[in-house]
Amino acid sequence: MSSNPTRVTAPDGTPFIEVVREFDAPVGLVFRASTDPGLVAQWLGPRELTMRVIEFDARQGGRYRYVHTAPDGAEYAFRGVFHTVTEPLIIQTFEYEGAPGSVSLETRILDDIGGRTRMRQNAVFPSVAARDEALAAGMEHGITDSMDRLAELLAVGTARPGR
Amino acid sequence: MSSNPTRVTAPDGTPFIEVVREFDAPVGLVFRASTDPGLVAQWLGPRELTMRVIEFDARQGGRYRYVHTAPDGAEYAFRGVFHTVTEPLIIQTFEYEGAPGSVSLETRILDDIGGRTRMRQNAVFPSVAARDEALAAGMEHGITDSMDRLAELLAVGTARPGR
């Protein structure tokens, strides 16, 4: 199991949330796990929620929408569009449908660090208040859970045959 | 001719550019002038440039791309995708292809003020430096020219028959 930490930075008074995480897998595999809806559904979001992908068309101009369901049945829907999907770069919008109109823009780049991958993600919100609301709603928990789950999925994908 | 001023606000140390402008035309007409590519081509950008629309598909997930040409033949290309296009709200990404990867997110809302329209636009960049570079490249001149040209186009559209 990977023990790489996830660093989440959200300086006070700014509309930014920055995430840095390393993975013990090559860039190509991390990119595929970020663009293939069948794989995305296995790691995106907090562990305690289940994810249902409505659409996930990871190409320029493509849309995505998915629903997270909590153990108590509560549903949380998210949607956005892809501005850039060109390995190693993904730029997309992100909106929680429960807070309509508060759309953020996420830029995610994958650096090759000697066969491993460093993911750097920058999210920017339309205001400092909108960023603060996303944090208050538990966004950091969702991010760190997602990154750990992605690492676990990649560990399966990079396991040597026969192990 | 309208004499409504364009207010452009870009506080130091933030990644924001905010624009407020009133128009002597109803919301529906301003929205149409913002989503119909044939109309957009008549007002978007500085006066001294000509605009060529490559694509402009103003609906959720639709893409746009256009090229501005200067009198000396220099070309400046821009592209983005639409996240929301629902009157009176437009949310879209914006990228100058000469500064690839520096993508901003624009939220534009049209308020009905007694049959006239107040447009409020918020652009947010992925960093303060990226916002500062856009301003240094003359973005404010492009915005104020665009708003004046849109007002002139709307004045034609709202002119009473026979005048």
Side-chain angles (χ1 to χ4, degrees), chain A residues 49-115:
Chain A
L49 305 186
T50 56
M51 179 173 177
R52 189 168 83 249
V53 176
I54 311 299
E55 64 179 329
F56 198 93
D57 183 14
R59 58 184 177 83
Q60 187 187 321
R63 302 182 299 187
Y64 71 85
R65 183 166 187 268
Y66 56 83
V67 179
H68 279 138
T69 304
D72 66 3
E75 296 199 329
Y76 307 91
F78 301 84
R79 76 171 183 94
V81 294
F82 292 97
H83 176 94
T84 297
V85 184
T86 307
E87 186 178 326
L89 179 65
I90 300 172
I91 302 176
Q92 68 192 71
T93 62
F94 175 86
E95 180 175 21
Y96 167 47
E97 293 183 3
S102 175
V103 180
S104 58
L105 185 70
E106 299 183 344
T107 299
R108 190 176 313 127
I109 192 153
L110 305 176
D111 301 322
D112 177 2
I113 48 172

Side-chain angles (χ1 to χ4, degrees), chain A residues 61 79 83-84 93 95 122 126, chain B residues 61 79 83-84 93 95 122 124 126:
Chain A
R79 76 171 183 94
H83 176 94
T84 297
T93 62
E95 180 175 21
N122 174 57
Chain B
R79 76 171 183 93
H83 176 93
T84 297
T93 61
E95 180 176 20
N122 174 57
V124 60

